[in-house]
Amino acid sequence: MQRDPLDQPGLRAQALPLGGTREQVDSGTAFNPALSVILDGVYYSEFTGEWDAPAGFDSGHSHSHGHGHGHGHDHDLDEGFNLRETEIAFSASVDNYFDAMVILAIEGDSGIEVEEAYLTTQNLPAGLQVKAGKFLSDIGYINKQHPHDWDFVDRPLVNEFLFGDHGLQEKGVQLSWVPATPVYTRFGVELLQGETSGIANYIGSGRVEEVTVTPDPVTGDPTRQRWRDDNPFDDASGPRLFTGFFKIAPDLGYNHAAQFGLSYGIATTFQNEQQHSSTRYESWDGDAWFAGVDAVYKYDSGGAYGHGNLRLQGEYFLREIDVDYMSQSFQGVNNGSLQTTDSFSDRRRQDGLYLQAVYGFAPRWEVGARFEALGLTNESLVPDRSAGEFEDFDASYRYTLNTTWRPTHFSALRAQLNYNDFAKEDDHTNRGASFMLQYNLSLGVHGAHPF
């Protein structure tokens, strides 16, 4: 089966020895999986300006940013030293039919999260392959990559704010097909549960509860009130998110490689809510779709340790959300019901892109530059209740320079400078610069980085 020229090599099933039987051997790694550990630490400093999340991307979807550490972005990095992520990966050929991969992530000092846990089939006919479990979607290019594969410290804004903190990461099944063509082509469809990604939030039916403590108007003693009612959402069985992708890599010769891709997705359910201490409750309920294009070009100069190599990469995505909005508040005394105060509907579009280049200016040394635009079309889901409509905002931009030293394939040190010029929702400056210093170390079995 043809392999993606820009992808890591797949796991290979071990054949039975000559004259052996199935009872003699099941797989080469079934009880001894390949193990790797990735250490990722970042020193973070904001040395000029002050900013929050880009305007229009802070309400009505899963990416909820605040005014905390890192001013609500850069994955909420603290000023100073951060152990951003420790990644532990197990991979094995289960038998001649299935490979398995489990990737666990420890973010900072928090608990362990299952980033990916999936099986892939081997030896299906006609270039077909099935992946099932929890995995990063193959839409676009960077979405399926883990942080240690990035050329920059942080995730592109368009991937983070349109699809969520970890990109499009869902439970489901993927079917891909690599036909026998003169050039590499790959088609794929994914049926995903649609739970927490920025394009397919899901809540389902449930209860809304608010507890308030106010002084008694006569005695002044604190009076506790408890408000409860059903939320406005209906249950919807999964899968609720359906995606498709196409990739083609023309043959450009020995030193050159390129891949171009198209992606599309439909979310049958988009639900989100915000609850306020004032007993006001906001909800968004509808559906969504997205589309995107991506391109990657790489030149291998043949120089020592990457000297003279060049990588160019870019993606553009647009999403549209068709949503009904309601603002409700609790009325009556204890156990009072939600009453609608404002409601309206609209179809809203937001988009974003990034372009980046990385050049090996000396053996083991690279320099990178990246330009990002978020919300060139910025029809947000932020409600203007007095006008009975959603607000529109200007575009946000980020400019990045970095340099990376790779002493070996297993380690990298990177210094990066970001300048943010974000659109504003309020009177904050929303403009400034930050500096990051990153180390990334790989222990154990470590496959090649995506080409």
Side-chain angles (χ1 to χ4, degrees), residues 194 199-203 234 236-237 240 267-271 285-288:
I199 194 68
N201 304 320
Y202 177 71
I203 296 172
D234 294 327
S237 60
R240 294 176 290 266
T268 59
T269 301
F270 177 91
Q271 300 174 345
D285 191 4
D287 51 42

Side-chain angles (χ1 to χ4, degrees), residues 43-48 51 78-80 433-437:
Y43 172 80
Y44 179 77
S45 175
E46 299 172 1
F47 60 88
T48 178
W51 63 96
D78 291 325
E79 290 266 9
S434 62
F435 172 77
M436 287 173 276
L437 185 63

